[in-house]
Amino acid sequence: MGDIHTGGCHCGHLRYQFSGPLHDIAHCHCSICRRVSGGIVTTWITVPASHFEWLGGIPARYDSSEHCARYFCPTCGAQVALITQLSPESIDLTIATLDHPEDAPADRHIWTDSRLPWLHLDEHLPGEAEESI
């Protein structure tokens, strides 16, 4: 299955791990990610759900759209994961919650139609107006 990667929230209440390579990593520019994170971009890695497990804590859930559930720490509020009904066999994890985010650079941008016009980040990467699933 590949390497084991671990991560968790700021306060340590939530811990997770997944196996596999660090690829399929995207900077998301959608307005929903901005609003729920408070950041100007959220960087996600998509991994097979079968390769992921929670090691500690129980995340809180927020349904940010009719197809998308976001999981965050009920103690510190850190956004950790996202599951969409459009791709139920995978889970998206925030790169910032990995124990070693420096090992996981993005390979593309998604939802670029929502990108803030003054943001210049990894402009050499390809972009998608929306996310292709």
Side-chain angles (χ1 to χ4, degrees):
M1 281 217 228
D3 296 333
I4 301 293
H5 308 281
T6 56
C9 65
H10 177 261
C11 71
H13 174 75
L14 294 180
R15 294 293 300 162
Y16 65 81
Q17 76 176 18
F18 66 92
S19 61
L22 294 173
H23 72 286
D24 198 7
I25 302 169
H27 294 309
C28 183
H29 297 273
C30 80
S31 61
I32 297 172
C33 279
R34 282 199 305 270
R35 294 280 185 163
V36 299
S37 73
I40 57 175
V41 66
T42 301
T43 305
W44 299 96
I45 183 170
T46 301
V47 301
S50 61
H51 295 188
F52 172 84
E53 68 176 307
W54 293 106
L55 298 176
I58 298 172
R61 176 182 169 149
Y62 171 65
D63 293 335
S64 59
S65 72
E66 68 179 276
H67 299 289
C68 185
R70 293 168 186 266
Y71 296 87
F72 61 96
C73 177
T75 303
C76 69
Q79 182 178 209
V80 176
L82 175 152
I83 298 175
T84 175
Q85 293 174 11
L86 301 175
S87 184
E89 70 286 345
S90 64
I91 183 169
D92 295 332
L93 302 167
T94 53
I95 289 298
T97 62
L98 283 172
D99 290 340
H100 296 284
E102 68 276 10
D103 295 336
D107 54 32
R108 71 187 191 289
H109 295 269
I110 55 175
W111 295 99
T112 58
D113 282 356
S114 299
R115 185 181 203 157
L116 296 172
W118 46 261
L119 177 64
H120 302 282
L121 174 70
D122 288 341
E123 293 180 3
H124 64 283
L125 297 177
E128 301 170 22
E130 296 183 0
E131 182 180 16
S132 60
I133 295 179

